[in-house]
Amino acid sequence: MTVSDTDEMMTLISAATNARDAAMAAMASSRAGKFAQADQRLALVGQYVQQAQDAHTHLLTLEARGELPQVKLLLVHAESYLTNAATMQAVATEFQAVYQRLADANI
């Protein structure tokens, strides 16, 4: 595995972590009734998830070409971060919808 491959895996982990953190912040904004701020944070989540997915796609392409010599624990770890980030994106979006409905109903 080259340094470039490791860097790509670290990019994936970093972007996925940022996505998760932004999703948590979006849920907090929704809970506080700050829906415009939640929208901004959800947009940021989307950008980070896309960055992580791009890094993942690059790594999968290298593997398909036989240029990624072996699967490392770091790659498995990175993929779990990506899965978690995508899940948190979906959860945060749903939480925002629920909090918005509650606010609209004055509950």
Side-chain angles (χ1 to χ4, degrees):
M1 182 172 299
T2 67
V3 174
S4 174
D5 301 335
T6 301
D7 288 346
E8 196 73 24
M9 289 178 207
M10 294 308 295
T11 295
L12 197 165
I13 290 170
S14 177
T17 299
N18 289 339
R20 183 204 59 215
D21 292 347
M24 295 297 293
M27 287 188 282
S29 295
S30 293
R31 185 173 45 252
K34 299 177 181 176
F35 300 111
Q37 185 179 63
D39 283 337
Q40 292 173 344
R41 290 178 171 171
L42 284 172
L44 192 58
V45 172
Q47 291 171 11
Y48 285 130
V49 167
Q50 185 62 54
Q51 183 181 2
Q53 288 173 332
D54 290 347
H56 188 242
T57 299
H58 180 251
L59 289 166
L60 291 174
T61 301
L62 290 176
E63 184 179 34
R65 291 181 188 157
E67 297 172 14
L68 195 61
Q70 57 184 331
V71 175
K72 296 284 188 177
L73 181 58
L74 183 59
L75 179 56
V76 174
H77 181 66
E79 288 178 333
S80 73
Y81 270 68
L82 176 57
T83 301
N84 185 39
T87 301
M88 289 302 297
Q89 180 181 28
V91 169
T93 300
E94 289 301 315
F95 265 79
Q96 183 188 26
V98 169
Y99 281 121
Q100 183 66 60
R101 286 186 76 184
L102 291 172
D104 291 346
N106 293 316
I107 296 176

